[in-house]
Amino acid sequence: MSMSMPTAAATASWPLAAAMGDVDQQPLPLFLRPLVLHGVSTAAHLLLALSVAVRLVFAASIHHRKEPSAAAARGAGFRWCRLAVRTTWALAASEVFLAVYSLVSWYLESNSGGGAGWGAPDAVADQADAVSRAVAWLLLAAYLQLEYRSRGEERFPAPLRLWWSLFLLLSVLALAVHAATGLQYKLPVPALSWARDAVSVLAGAVLLVAGFSAERGAVGGSASEEPLLNDAREAAAENDTVDASMFTSAGFLSFLTFSWMWPLLAVGHRKTLDIDDVPELDHGDSVAGVLPLFKANLEALTGDGSAGQKVTAFKLTRALVRTMWWHIAVTALYAMIYSLAIYVGPYLIDSLVHYLNGDERYASKGKLLVVTFIAAKVFECLSQRHWFFRLQQAGIRTRSALVSVVYQKGLSLSSSSRQSRSSGEMINIISVDADRVGLFSWFMHDLWLVPLQVSLALFILYSTLGIASLAALGVTVIVMLATVVPMQMQEKFQEKLMGSKDVRMKATSEILRNMRILKLQGWEMKFLSKIIDLRKTEESWLKKYLYTSTVATFVFWGAPTFVAVVTFGACMLLGIPLESGKVLSALATFRVLQEPIYTLPDMISMFIQTKVSLDRIASFLCLEELPMDAVQRLPSGNSDVAVEVSNGCFSWDASSEVPTLNDLNFQARQGMHVAVCGTVGSGKSSLLSCILGEMPKLSGEVKTCGTMAYVSQSAWIQSGKIQENILFGKEMDSEKYDRVLESCSLKKDLEILPFGDETVIGERGINLSGGQKQRIQIARALYQDADIYLFDDPFSAVDAHTGSHLFKECLLGALGSKTVVYVTHQIEFLPAADLILVMKGGRIAQAGKYNEILGSGEELMELVGAHQDALTALDVIDVANGGSEAFSSSGAASLSRSLSSAEEKDKQNGSEDVGKVQSGQLVQEEEREKGRVGFWVYWKYLTLAYGGALVPFVLIAQILFQVLQIASNYWMAWASPVSKDAEPPVSMSRLIYVFVALAGASSMCILARALFLVTAAYKTATMLFDKMHMSIFRAPMSFFDSTPSGRILNRASADQSEVDTTIAEFMGSVAFSIIQLVGIIAVMSQVAWQVFVIFVPLTVACFWCQRYYIDTARELQRLVGVHKAPIIQHFAESITGSVTIRSFGKENQFVSTNSHLMDTFSRPKFYNAASREWLCFRLDMLSCLTFAFSLIFLISLPTGLIDPAIAGLAVTYGLNLNTLQTSVVWYLCSLENRIISVERILQYISIPEEPPLSVSGDKLSYNWPSEGEIQLHNLHVRYAPQLPFVLKGLTFTFPGAMKTGIVGRTGSGKSTLIQALFRIVDPTIGRILVDGVDICTIGLHDLRSRLSIIPQDPTMFEGTIRSNLDPLGEYNDDQIWEALDNCQLGDEVRKKELKLDSPVIENGENWSVGQRQLVCLGRVTLKRTKILVLDEATASVDTATDNLIQKTLQENFSEATVITIAHRITSVLDSDMVLLLDNGVAVERDTPAKLLEDKSSLFSKLVAEYTMRATHT
């Protein structure tokens, strides 16, 4: 063995063969010799290969007999098995690569005559080892794929785990031998051996961990995971579909190349994807998979029971890390591989330039350099793609976990907690904050990656430029520190921006809920200006945020140039010679160094934003929950007493000195009916709240026995089908269901609705009348078949006939044997009660049976006296004698027949879309565009601000930057000598000065570009916001009836956020990356124009992939957008109805619905991420081909044919080719996905408008209407062209200055008539004249500002008493106080510390429903118009308060035309005229007295029934 040292050192195929022949060297001990090492390894691997081969043959022979184990029921062990299989495939691939490389190198060496051929025992042993390893690991990978992936096995046999232990031991030994050989014996160990050692040790460690962890997981499962997930896993097993296993059961190659996405992409290419086409999630990505684990981890960190009190952002983060640790670990590995791979190119460029220059030292290394370049590129691409995919998967899981936890918390909040947070704030937590924490997964590794990448860069710079690299380090640190100030400013601006967005969303949410009342009052423009003012505050922070980001952009785009200038300047000062190879290596390193420097501001900004979001989520999770022990709940049958309150003291406000309820003592036995009555604000609803456990208990004891059902005063209806609302999660029992519908008088209503009980109800029951909503609520309670029923005055919203029917059929009939506690204002319902509680000032003033307490105190006498006063108006009928007899059963039957004619929907679909009307349902699935996003959307966006004038400036600045940057690099490559011996073309100082000038100019271009872009972005966002909101506020009421507010809020929050901060950035990035790509190809073609031969077809292939992908991706992104709104809407509905949900014990049902909605949202999001990686992987591989072709072409050219420096420059730029080619397509696709936000906003900008608010020309006289006479001429009204008429040829005159009552059964057209008067819906045929003026010829505000209305649902807005009474600020304090005194609220407001500035919280929830109604009365007494409409205005107040209201109206509106729609007949008895409507037709019209004289009139029958109920109930 006489091989010389240089040859041996150059030989990579057998490590130490050459060294053995050097006589001067100290001989190696036997156990360190390669022959022994490779011999042992070869024997072990051959034995493994033989065993596995036999096992494979055996497995194949019994394959048809062995059924796959339940693939769906994959436990904790399965995840480890999957890891082991993939690791084995990766190891097999690397062993094959190393074996091929080793054999090829050996062959080339032996052919050149420098090698020892097969004669060298060490060489033979090395080759045998390489081949045996490759064969053995390939066989093992195939075996594992068959046994543990295809068949779902979950544990590895002991021999396999023993082999992995042995393999790790052998790998560590080999590493130790090579270390000893190199360090102690000073013998060269080739890079190939080190590479094999590194791969083997890493793979061996992973396999060993996976093997033993899979054993534990298969035997018992992880303690935290197994018990919690069993049920979910069994359910998944039952419903397992082929789709569900698309990702889960992907083979190694399919997983590696994302080929498992082909089936979905093929479907998306053929047709427009729908949510049903999107496969199910892997169990681990669903809420059922991730939530139990996250909750267990959070509870472990926050302690038991009182977890809510201890949640902090830090603990929340730790719980998330514990839950996602697997993804964090695997993405860290991918990120590490990627970071190492990207620096291989810059490190080797100097060697490539030397090779191209004909340097003898590198003469035989051309092919090795090319292979290394390409291998590094492939590893870079693979690791980056899987890194990004797993990050997004972790983000989806994080979001699901957080939204689910926040939802569950929202359901259990106490009343004070609920009042402390507005629904807008809570919605922002799930729509913005949870999203942001999910997005943070992109940045989670940057904390350690940035230092690692900077260190690698400095290592390369030190190896090329020596001591000058310290200057690079110094300037890099300075640049990074320079970002601290702008980043701190951005954090502050971000927080302020989010805070102001919260306030705006809260106001928007409230306005959308109450849009009907705003339109009726003509206030919508005032409230729009309120939103615009809030947006102006938000815009001031947005502007600061955006302009601060330009400073950051400038610093970071300029950073690589700045670092280069300082480093090369240091070289000049220190006299370090600059050769072109070193310069190019440094420039390539600076370019890669851009990534950590670019990443840093985003990372800091994202850290800040995520911290803010985590703090907000944590503070929400810390809110006080409803105490579980406030009520002692016993199971059914455990006690004779159904409800008992002893010494109860309760208060809504714990800090208040006067409790809301005091000294409560009462008992309701099983089957008792308890009535609760009292004046407005006496504590009736609060009494029910304390029984439900909703009200904070200061002292005392509350016990209940049995299940509960609750009917609230303000109806809470879910959007969805009527049937779903009634069943409320119970199974359908047809007989029981029919009985319930009959009891609640719902049969007739359902017959009229287009789809019966399948009709979809709009948000908050918007397409149902108040009476229908209450009856559906009662039906929901009856169907639950509970033991205790709590009714909070549900009869006030229905007419007298229906109220009487409900009381008899429901309370006395269906619930005759149940315990019922009912609040009522109707005195006629009191005698039927077993116990009456009369409330006054938060105490039970009287308690007992009706006759017992009637004479024993004045409280009940006051109420009954007021009721009797109302009945005296009926003296015209001899109630005691003929009246009741006349109202015989036949009379009742005829009345029922005549009054129960078809009930029309009071509020039908607005006809902005014919398709919607034809499909019949009011609320349609959210509209989404199909196919490509139209070019007009991009054009509209680009040209909105300044007519698109800034766009050319942005592009010119970017092109100039690119040209100047290429020029500066070209100058450095050309002007530097190729080697030490060559003569430099220019002096060192000129070299640096020209470079500085070019670099400085390019940096200024970046600053200009950033400023132009931000200016255009800000202006466009502002204009889109203003146009959309103007369009929404000017939309007709039908738009709001058929559009859930969640959809509008989604556009105003999530879509507007995209427009505010990201879309312009993405649009810029598309243009910038295309300009950079053109620059790279231009530089590469300078050296080898032949690159176009492969670049053109590969670019065509890239765009084919992009077009194939975008069909699916675009629809997936749209599905993500469409399925976000239902989560927000369901959350908002659940918060509003949390009292009802808890009272029925349906929390689990609602949590389950939320989980389903979350998974439906996550599905398109997950597959969208996977499809993007599918595309990027293919683009990366095509770019690698272009790069590989260029490199092979360069090394195959004869030496000296091309300038090595320029060739090196081409390679430097080529290193970025794959990144840029991918980023062009990625940015294009991302932009197309995000531009959908603009498309959705533009959709709402083009909503059809209402008629004009004011009409120029003939001005109305200032005192119009002076008479107040209203004439209806042949009035036909319908809600859409395809729908039937609701009012059918109505001709009637409401005399001026007189009081007219409108009566009729629910659905007879009463509310529609009022809507026509206010032009909420315009007449189809006929006219309405007010004082001779056709109302359709004047502006909406001109009309609505001259009319007043007290609506059916009393509405108060967040603000103060003053802003609620006088939103437009038209009256002084004296006038407001007078109005308050008129509506009986003056004393109540004077008691409050802040008087007129007393706060009103969201929805006016700190005021009772009756008090809210009185505020509405105060508004009209303040306005004092000539025409007043009362739409069932006194439904929520007791009879005594009602009488006071009537007196107030008589005093204040004696000269006005008053139109009353009333359920209480007494409200219209003192009218001058009565109009009785039935099925949209005027059946009777006359004075009450005349109608009552005619015993056959429908009106007299209606009155007779009311009196009979009032006296004989």
Side-chain angles (χ1 to χ4, degrees):
M1 284 190 287
S2 58
M3 190 185 297
S4 65
M5 277 305 292
T7 312
T11 302
S13 47
W14 53 98
L16 307 167
M20 300 309 301
D22 195 331
V23 290
D24 298 333
Q25 284 287 0
Q26 180 186 351
L28 281 171
L30 180 66
F31 66 89
L32 288 183
R33 286 180 64 95
L35 184 65
V36 176
L37 188 68
H38 292 311
V40 172
S41 177
T42 304
H45 280 90
L46 283 174
L47 192 62
L48 172 69
L50 190 64
S51 308
V52 174
V54 171
R55 183 74 185 154
L56 273 172
V57 172
F58 175 71
S61 67
I62 62 162
H63 181 68
H64 64 280
R65 278 183 276 150
K66 183 169 180 181
E67 288 294 315
S69 64
R74 285 163 171 162
F78 177 72
R79 200 181 301 158
W80 293 108
C81 293
R82 187 162 62 183
L83 172 65
V85 175
R86 287 174 180 171
T87 306
T88 310
W89 273 113
L91 184 56
S94 65
E95 291 293 0
V96 169
F97 172 77
L98 292 171
V100 170
Y101 185 82
S102 180
L103 283 166
V104 170
S105 300
W106 169 81
Y107 177 73
L108 291 173
E109 289 293 341
S110 57
N111 275 2
S112 64
W118 285 106
D122 286 325
V124 175
D126 188 22
Q127 301 309 323
D129 186 20
V131 172
S132 66
R133 289 166 80 106
V135 171
W137 283 105
L138 271 175
L139 284 169
L140 184 59
Y143 168 70
L144 289 178
Q145 181 72 36
L146 178 69
E147 285 294 310
Y148 299 94
R149 290 291 307 213
S150 308
R151 298 185 187 163
E153 293 287 344
E154 288 201 9
R155 62 175 84 185
F156 298 111
L160 190 57
R161 282 180 283 129
L162 184 65
W163 158 249
W164 283 337
S165 308
L166 178 65
F167 174 67
L168 181 60
L169 183 66
L170 282 172
S171 304
V172 172
L173 278 174
L175 185 66
V177 165
H178 290 142
T181 306
L183 295 171
Q184 191 173 346
Y185 293 93
K186 302 290 185 282
L187 293 174
V189 179
L192 191 71
S193 297
W194 289 118
R196 181 178 283 151
D197 289 345
V199 170
S200 300
V201 170
L202 185 65
V206 171
L207 287 170
L208 201 60
V209 170
F212 285 96
S213 300
E215 176 68 12
R216 279 204 312 277
V219 172
S222 95
S224 62
E225 191 174 352
E226 201 67 22
L228 291 165
L229 299 186
N230 273 347
D231 296 344
R233 214 176 272 141
E234 282 160 21
E238 287 168 26
N239 302 321
D240 202 35
T241 61
V242 179
D243 284 340
S245 61
M246 234 172 77
F247 166 67
T248 315
S249 60
F252 177 71
L253 281 175
S254 175
F255 173 79
L256 195 70
T257 60
F258 294 95
S259 299
W260 54 272
M261 277 299 296
W262 273 113
L264 181 61
L265 290 161
V267 173
H269 190 60
R270 275 199 318 273
K271 56 169 266 202
T272 301
L273 275 186
D274 216 333
I275 193 67
D276 297 332
D277 302 314
V278 182
E280 291 300 322
L281 291 168
D282 178 49
H283 176 71
D285 296 318
S286 66
V287 174
V290 77
L291 180 63
L293 200 55
F294 175 64
K295 280 185 77 175
N297 286 325
L298 189 59
E299 280 162 20
L301 289 166
T302 53
D304 55 358
S306 58
Q309 305 305 320
K310 300 180 186 172
V311 179
T312 61
F314 179 63
K315 287 178 180 174
L316 204 56
T317 309
R318 281 180 63 195
L320 284 168
V321 169
R322 284 187 184 185
T323 309
M324 308 294 162
W325 73 268
W326 158 250
H327 281 77
I328 293 169
V330 82
T331 48
L333 178 65
Y334 289 140
M336 172 85 76
I337 294 168
Y338 169 77
S339 298
L340 293 171
I342 55 171
Y343 281 105
V344 170
Y347 184 66
L348 294 178
I349 276 184
D350 192 21
S351 306
L352 182 68
V353 171
H354 283 298
Y355 171 80
L356 293 173
N357 198 35
D359 192 320
E360 285 180 11
R361 289 173 302 163
Y362 297 90
S364 62
K365 289 195 175 175
K367 292 186 181 67
L368 179 62
L369 280 168
V370 168
V371 170
T372 312
F373 266 116
I374 294 167
K377 270 286 153 210
V378 170
F379 272 105
E380 175 193 329
C381 298
L382 275 173
S383 57
Q384 189 181 31
R385 296 286 58 90
H386 286 277
W387 173 24
F388 284 2
F389 173 62
R390 289 300 193 180
L391 285 182
Q392 291 171 87
Q393 192 181 21
I396 287 167
R397 290 185 177 194
T398 302
R399 188 180 190 284
S400 292
L402 289 175
V403 171
S404 302
V405 166
V406 167
Y407 180 83
Q408 289 185 12
K409 181 74 180 184
L411 276 187
S412 58
L413 288 182
S414 67
S415 62
S416 56
S417 298
R418 231 177 25 254
Q419 288 181 10
S420 70
R421 295 296 173 103
S422 70
S423 55
E425 283 177 87
M426 295 194 224
I427 285 167
N428 263 350
I429 285 175
I430 62 164
S431 67
V432 178
D433 294 313
D435 259 1
R436 186 168 294 126
V437 179
L439 277 175
F440 179 71
S441 60
W442 285 97
F443 300 88
M444 64 184 169
H445 293 304
D446 290 346
L447 207 57
W448 60 269
L449 265 185
V450 169
L452 173 73
Q453 291 179 341
V454 169
S455 305
L456 287 169
L458 291 170
F459 166 72
I460 293 168
L461 287 173
Y462 186 77
S463 65
T464 50
L465 300 177
I467 198 77
S469 61
L470 292 176
L473 171 64
V475 78
T476 304
V477 170
I478 290 167
V479 166
M480 287 181 168
L481 288 175
T483 63
V484 173
V485 176
M487 282 306 110
Q488 282 177 336
M489 288 166 70
Q490 261 194 304
E491 175 190 11
K492 182 180 132 196
F493 298 150
Q494 172 72 26
E495 275 190 50
K496 299 283 188 185
L497 184 63
M498 285 306 298
S500 52
K501 186 192 225 73
D502 275 351
V503 175
R504 172 175 66 82
M505 287 310 298
K506 181 177 176 181
T508 308
S509 173
E510 185 177 50
I511 287 168
L512 290 176
R513 261 200 313 275
N514 300 307
M515 188 55 85
R516 182 176 298 277
I517 185 71
L518 294 183
K519 289 206 174 282
L520 288 169
Q521 301 278 12
W523 291 343
E524 69 267 43
M525 288 299 117
K526 173 69 181 175
F527 278 78
L528 171 61
S529 66
K530 184 179 167 185
I531 295 291
I532 297 293
D533 288 343
L534 289 172
R535 171 67 180 175
K536 283 206 164 70
T537 311
E538 190 183 342
E539 279 171 3
S540 69
W541 295 116
L542 175 66
K543 194 171 194 174
K544 288 171 184 167
Y545 178 80
L546 289 173
Y547 280 100
T548 314
S549 72
T550 48
V551 177
T553 306
F554 170 65
V555 169
F556 294 107
W557 275 84
T561 310
F562 184 49
V563 173
V565 165
V566 172
T567 310
F568 292 147
C571 289
M572 181 176 82
L573 294 173
L574 295 169
I576 297 169
L578 289 175
E579 297 162 27
S580 55
K582 290 179 177 177
V583 166
L584 289 171
S585 179
L587 286 173
T589 306
F590 296 144
R591 189 182 288 264
V592 180
L593 194 59
Q594 266 182 318
E595 189 175 335
I597 293 182
Y598 281 171
T599 306
L600 194 69
D602 285 343
M603 178 189 81
I604 295 170
S605 163
M606 201 62 196
F607 261 93
I608 290 160
Q609 291 177 32
T610 308
K611 170 78 167 64
V612 170
S613 289
L614 281 168
D615 282 335
R616 284 156 56 100
I617 294 170
S619 74
F620 181 77
L621 294 178
C622 286
L623 289 177
E624 182 191 20
E625 292 188 10
L626 203 67
M628 290 291 103
D629 57 352
V631 177
Q632 194 179 333
R633 293 181 172 88
L634 303 172
S636 301
N638 274 29
S639 168
D640 292 340
V641 179
V643 180
E644 182 176 15
V645 181
S646 317
N647 304 318
C649 184
F650 304 86
S651 180
W652 288 117
D653 181 6
S655 60
S656 170
E657 290 176 21
V658 183
T660 315
L661 297 176
N662 202 1
D663 195 24
L664 279 197
N665 285 285
F666 78 92
Q667 192 181 74
R669 295 192 165 275
Q670 295 289 356
M672 271 178 78
H673 285 198
V674 180
V676 183
C677 60
T679 54
V680 169
S682 60
K684 301 183 298 298
S685 298
S686 298
L687 179 69
L688 295 190
S689 296
C690 80
I691 297 171
L692 287 168
E694 294 291 329
M695 193 172 182
K697 181 174 73 175
L698 303 179
S699 63
E701 197 173 48
V702 183
K703 286 183 189 167
T704 62
C705 176
T707 55
M708 276 204 192
Y710 168 66
V711 179
S712 56
Q713 188 172 11
S714 304
W716 177 72
I717 301 288
Q718 282 180 277
S719 43
K721 293 176 183 169
I722 290 176
Q723 187 189 89
E724 290 167 2
N725 265 284
I726 295 173
L727 296 182
F728 209 46
K730 283 228 167 189
E731 290 294 315
M732 168 58 96
D733 175 344
S734 301
E735 283 181 31
K736 180 176 163 188
Y737 185 70
D738 283 343
R739 279 200 311 275
V740 167
L741 292 183
E742 194 65 54
S743 300
C744 297
S745 310
L746 278 168
K747 285 252 167 132
K748 293 253 175 2
D749 301 87
L750 296 181
E751 283 166 18
I752 300 312
L753 292 172
F755 292 85
D757 63 358
E758 293 289 308
T759 301
V760 173
I761 302 174
E763 194 175 15
R764 301 185 316 280
I766 203 148
N767 49 332
L768 298 173
S769 69
Q772 285 169 326
K773 285 192 271 191
Q774 279 296 12
R775 282 180 285 142
I776 288 172
Q777 270 215 121
I778 295 168
R780 174 173 64 205
L782 289 186
Y783 194 81
Q784 295 303 307
D785 199 21
D787 299 316
I788 303 167
Y789 283 81
L790 305 179
F791 287 89
D792 194 353
D793 196 20
F795 309 114
S796 59
V798 296
D799 56 72
H801 170 71
T802 313
S804 185
H805 175 87
L806 286 174
F807 189 75
K808 285 175 186 159
E809 293 296 323
C810 298
L811 262 75
L812 304 181
L815 303 180
S817 60
K818 304 281 188 181
T819 309
V820 183
V821 180
Y822 60 97
V823 170
T824 184
H825 288 129
Q826 278 95 323
I827 300 298
E828 57 270 27
F829 293 153
L830 294 180
D834 301 314
L835 173 66
I836 298 170
L837 303 177
V838 184
M839 301 295 296
K840 187 168 187 181
R843 294 171 184 270
I844 299 175
Q846 288 178 282
K849 280 188 175 286
Y850 184 75
N851 294 329
E852 291 169 13
I853 63 170
L854 193 54
S856 66
E858 55 189 50
E859 287 81 6
L860 183 61
M861 282 303 293
E862 275 176 28
L863 297 170
V864 174
H867 182 60
Q868 295 302 335
D869 291 346
L871 288 176
T872 52
L874 297 171
D875 283 346
V876 262
I877 298 179
D878 182 8
V879 175
N881 311 314
S884 11
E885 285 161 27
F887 190 70
S888 61
S889 57
S890 61
S894 65
L895 172 71
S896 297
R897 275 199 304 278
S898 54
L899 285 179
S900 64
S901 53
E903 178 172 8
E904 303 289 350
K905 276 199 294 180
D906 257 1
K907 296 140 190 161
Q908 282 285 4
N909 184 5
S911 61
E912 78 253 53
D913 184 336
V914 174
K916 281 189 181 180
V917 176
Q918 286 169 339
S919 66
Q921 294 285 25
L922 173 73
V923 179
Q924 301 294 315
E925 283 199 14
E926 183 164 1
E927 200 183 315
R928 64 182 174 110
E929 303 286 342
K930 304 233 166 142
R932 294 186 64 174
V933 177
F935 174 72
W936 69 273
V937 177
Y938 296 93
W939 185 250
K940 186 93 177 166
Y941 182 82
L942 285 169
T943 57
L944 200 60
Y946 312 109
L950 292 179
V951 176
F953 289 105
V954 173
L955 293 175
I956 289 165
Q958 178 65 25
I959 290 166
L960 278 174
F961 164 73
Q962 193 61 29
V963 168
L964 289 167
Q965 206 181 40
I966 290 172
S968 64
N969 291 349
Y970 203 93
W971 165 260
M972 289 301 286
W974 174 80
S976 306
V978 175
S979 62
K980 289 177 192 170
D981 315 325
E983 185 67 32
V986 293
S987 68
M988 184 80 152
S989 55
R990 177 180 288 185
L991 174 78
I992 299 299
Y993 293 149
V994 172
F995 178 68
V996 169
L998 291 168
S1002 73
S1003 296
M1004 294 319 294
C1005 289
I1006 279 300
L1007 182 61
R1009 183 206 82 185
L1011 287 169
F1012 284 137
L1013 187 67
V1014 163
T1015 307
Y1018 172 74
K1019 181 71 173 170
T1020 307
T1022 309
M1023 290 176 76
L1024 282 172
F1025 180 90
D1026 292 346
K1027 281 172 182 281
M1028 176 173 76
H1029 279 72
M1030 175 56 87
S1031 180
I1032 288 170
F1033 276 70
R1034 290 286 292 113
M1037 201 58 226
S1038 55
F1039 168 75
F1040 299 96
D1041 289 348
S1042 59
T1043 308
S1045 61
R1047 291 182 195 170
I1048 303 173
L1049 291 172
N1050 212 3
R1051 282 165 173 82
S1053 61
D1055 290 326
Q1056 187 63 45
S1057 287
E1058 290 281 344
V1059 172
D1060 284 347
T1061 53
T1062 56
I1063 287 177
E1065 194 184 319
F1066 270 92
M1067 212 165 242
S1069 299
V1070 168
F1072 308 154
S1073 48
I1074 288 173
I1075 290 166
Q1076 283 180 292
L1077 185 64
V1078 170
I1080 285 183
I1081 293 303
V1083 171
M1084 288 177 75
S1085 59
Q1086 288 290 304
V1087 179
W1089 61 265
Q1090 291 86 345
V1091 85
F1092 279 112
V1093 174
I1094 193 159
F1095 178 73
V1096 172
L1098 287 182
T1099 304
V1100 171
C1102 278
F1103 279 96
W1104 178 85
C1105 283
Q1106 192 258 352
R1107 290 318 326 154
Y1108 191 81
Y1109 150 85
I1110 199 67
D1111 293 331
T1112 302
R1114 185 177 45 236
E1115 297 312 318
L1116 286 171
Q1117 185 63 29
R1118 282 181 176 143
L1119 287 170
V1120 169
V1122 167
H1123 286 94
K1124 186 170 187 178
I1127 297 171
I1128 295 173
Q1129 191 183 335
H1130 181 251
F1131 182 67
E1133 272 185 356
S1134 303
I1135 295 294
T1136 313
S1138 56
V1139 176
T1140 305
I1141 294 166
R1142 287 197 292 258
S1143 63
F1144 283 88
K1146 296 287 179 184
E1147 293 96 329
N1148 289 347
Q1149 178 189 319
F1150 276 75
V1151 166
S1152 161
T1153 304
N1154 180 64
S1155 301
H1156 172 70
L1157 290 171
M1158 275 305 306
D1159 288 346
T1160 309
F1161 170 75
S1162 297
R1163 269 159 57 201
K1165 208 168 175 65
F1166 173 82
Y1167 289 101
N1168 195 18
S1171 62
R1172 189 182 300 148
E1173 298 312 324
W1174 173 92
L1175 173 71
C1176 290
F1177 173 78
R1178 278 145 188 78
L1179 297 180
D1180 280 349
M1181 288 302 127
L1182 291 170
S1183 304
C1184 285
L1185 275 176
T1186 310
F1187 185 57
F1189 176 82
S1190 312
L1191 281 174
I1192 291 164
F1193 180 76
L1194 281 176
I1195 67 162
S1196 58
L1197 288 175
T1199 307
L1201 191 64
I1202 51 169
D1203 184 343
I1206 304 305
L1209 182 68
V1211 175
T1212 306
Y1213 271 89
L1215 285 171
N1216 272 13
L1217 183 65
N1218 69 303
T1219 313
L1220 267 171
Q1221 205 163 349
T1222 305
S1223 66
V1224 167
V1225 179
W1226 191 83
Y1227 281 131
L1228 264 175
C1229 296
S1230 295
L1231 176 62
E1232 187 159 358
N1233 285 344
R1234 285 168 190 263
I1235 201 81
I1236 290 168
S1237 288
V1238 176
E1239 182 183 56
R1240 284 154 58 85
I1241 288 174
L1242 290 174
Q1243 251 179 20
Y1244 275 25
I1245 286 176
S1246 54
I1247 305 166
E1249 277 193 1
E1250 277 187 310
L1253 298 177
S1254 56
V1255 177
S1256 55
D1258 296 338
K1259 292 285 180 191
L1260 289 166
S1261 61
Y1262 75 94
N1263 64 341
W1264 179 89
S1266 54
E1267 300 298 322
E1269 184 185 66
I1270 303 168
Q1271 295 168 297
L1272 312 178
H1273 290 295
N1274 189 28
L1275 191 64
H1276 286 72
V1277 176
R1278 61 181 169 193
Y1279 287 94
Q1282 286 75 14
L1283 294 173
F1285 284 107
V1286 181
L1287 295 179
K1288 303 164 184 175
L1290 202 57
T1291 300
F1292 183 74
T1293 299
F1294 293 92
M1298 288 176 77
K1299 187 174 177 185
T1300 306
I1302 304 177
V1303 290
R1305 193 178 180 280
T1306 308
S1308 56
K1310 305 188 297 288
S1311 292
T1312 303
L1313 174 56
I1314 300 307
Q1315 291 193 63
L1317 177 61
F1318 280 82
R1319 289 186 66 193
I1320 294 293
V1321 56
D1322 276 339
T1324 312
I1325 305 168
R1327 298 187 304 162
I1328 301 176
L1329 303 177
V1330 176
D1331 281 5
V1333 177
D1334 184 347
I1335 63 169
C1336 289
T1337 62
I1338 61 175
L1340 293 181
H1341 273 190
D1342 295 337
L1343 170 69
R1344 292 169 185 170
S1345 62
R1346 314 289 178 99
L1347 308 177
S1348 290
I1349 184 167
I1350 302 182
Q1352 186 174 357
D1353 297 320
T1355 305
M1356 286 177 81
F1357 300 93
E1358 187 168 7
T1360 62
I1361 288 290
R1362 179 189 276 106
S1363 69
N1364 266 280
L1365 284 165
D1366 178 27
L1368 306 182
E1370 296 173 330
Y1371 305 98
N1372 61 37
D1373 283 8
D1374 293 339
Q1375 291 169 306
I1376 294 173
W1377 278 117
E1378 186 189 343
L1380 281 171
D1381 289 330
N1382 282 337
C1383 67
Q1384 312 300 319
L1385 270 177
D1387 295 340
E1388 185 68 34
V1389 176
R1390 282 189 185 91
K1391 279 185 210 165
K1392 301 206 177 272
E1393 193 182 332
L1394 296 172
K1395 307 287 191 288
L1396 289 180
D1397 293 317
S1398 299
V1400 176
I1401 64 167
E1402 198 175 9
N1403 298 331
E1405 281 176 9
N1406 55 342
W1407 297 78
S1408 76
V1409 179
Q1411 287 169 329
R1412 284 180 239 167
Q1413 193 68 279
L1414 295 175
V1415 169
C1416 295
L1417 174 67
R1419 284 178 191 148
V1420 298
T1421 54
L1422 201 54
K1423 202 171 171 185
R1424 298 258 171 121
T1425 54
K1426 194 68 183 170
I1427 296 173
L1428 169 66
V1429 177
L1430 306 176
D1431 188 357
E1432 298 164 351
T1434 56
S1436 303
V1437 293
D1438 59 86
T1439 317
T1441 313
D1442 185 12
N1443 290 348
L1444 287 169
I1445 290 174
Q1446 298 305 329
K1447 281 180 190 156
T1448 306
L1449 292 173
Q1450 280 166 10
E1451 288 165 14
N1452 289 278
F1453 292 92
S1454 55
E1455 299 297 310
T1457 305
V1458 179
I1459 300 171
T1460 308
I1461 296 176
H1463 287 149
R1464 288 187 180 141
I1465 298 299
T1466 50
S1467 302
V1468 296
L1469 284 175
D1470 61 347
S1471 302
D1472 302 309
M1473 178 77 76
V1474 169
L1475 170 67
L1476 195 143
L1477 291 180
D1478 188 24
N1479 199 16
V1481 178
V1483 183
E1484 294 174 359
R1485 65 193 85 186
D1486 215 326
T1487 61
K1490 282 189 180 171
L1491 288 173
L1492 288 171
E1493 281 171 16
D1494 178 4
K1495 295 288 187 289
S1496 63
S1497 73
L1498 292 175
F1499 182 68
S1500 65
K1501 289 177 181 172
L1502 202 61
V1503 172
E1505 184 190 344
Y1506 179 80
T1507 22
M1508 185 181 71
R1509 185 182 80 176
T1511 52
H1512 296 293
T1513 302

